Amino acid sequence: MTGARIIGLLLVICLTGCLASKGGINRIQGAKDVFGIELYSATDYREIKGVKGTDEPCLKGFERSFDALGISIGYGFDGKIRKITTRNPETTLFGVHPGTQAKDAGRTLLQAGLTDSGTPGRYTGDGLTLTLLVDGSGRAFGITVETDN
């Protein structure tokens, strides 16, 4: 191969990697419907649908709970959203509603492009971990998605 062809090939490979990374973030942001809350956002949600949140410190920052809505938002020390938990059946994460049977939820998450981590109810992909909160009857009563950093 000539030097120009090698450089061209390397350029294509680099650009493909960059586009794939950006596509992953967009896919993450488009895969949720929890009152418009987005991972990595710096939006400071103090009130959602008329419900005021209450703050509790945690090791990675703080969590703001909206108990009447069945959701909580984890913020990092940088002020960005790093975690979303929902128990509200009107919300979805990667096509799964709280209240769905865990087996069905797992199939949906795999179809959405996440990977089974090997730990029951835990899936990974695109720099995040998704955990199904499963009750004794095998129903996912809640879902948590969290960034890996």
Side-chain angles (χ1 to χ4, degrees):
M1 287 183 114
T2 67
R5 282 189 171 171
I6 291 172
I7 291 172
L9 181 61
L10 289 174
L11 182 61
V12 168
I13 291 170
C14 289
L15 289 175
T16 301
C18 291
L19 292 174
S21 296
K22 289 183 180 177
I25 294 293
N26 289 336
R27 189 173 66 78
I28 290 169
Q29 291 176 342
K32 305 174 304 315
D33 185 13
V34 181
F35 303 108
I37 302 163
E38 297 287 345
L39 287 176
Y40 306 105
S41 169
T43 303
D44 186 14
Y45 292 96
R46 295 189 180 272
E47 184 175 318
I48 299 174
K49 292 191 151 228
V51 176
K52 291 186 181 196
T54 57
D55 293 355
E56 294 182 29
C58 69
L59 292 175
K60 295 184 178 180
F62 70 94
E63 299 225 357
R64 185 167 291 145
S65 297
F66 299 86
D67 291 333
L69 297 174
I71 64 168
S72 66
I73 304 169
Y75 288 89
F77 291 114
D78 62 359
K80 292 186 179 179
I81 296 173
R82 60 170 188 78
K83 178 178 173 183
I84 302 168
T85 299
T86 181
R87 296 170 311 284
N88 186 325
E90 296 175 14
T91 62
T92 62
L93 287 169
F94 293 92
V96 176
H97 294 271
T100 302
Q101 286 296 316
K103 285 188 272 184
D104 297 334
R107 282 192 294 273
T108 300
L109 294 170
L110 293 173
Q111 290 172 350
L114 297 177
T115 303
D116 188 331
S117 74
T119 301
R122 186 165 287 191
Y123 299 84
T124 60
D126 288 336
L128 62 83
T129 299
L130 183 141
T131 305
L132 297 173
L133 309 174
V134 181
D135 64 17
S137 67
R139 185 178 60 90
F141 66 89
I143 308 165
T144 297
V145 65
E146 185 170 10
T147 62
D148 288 344
N149 39 359

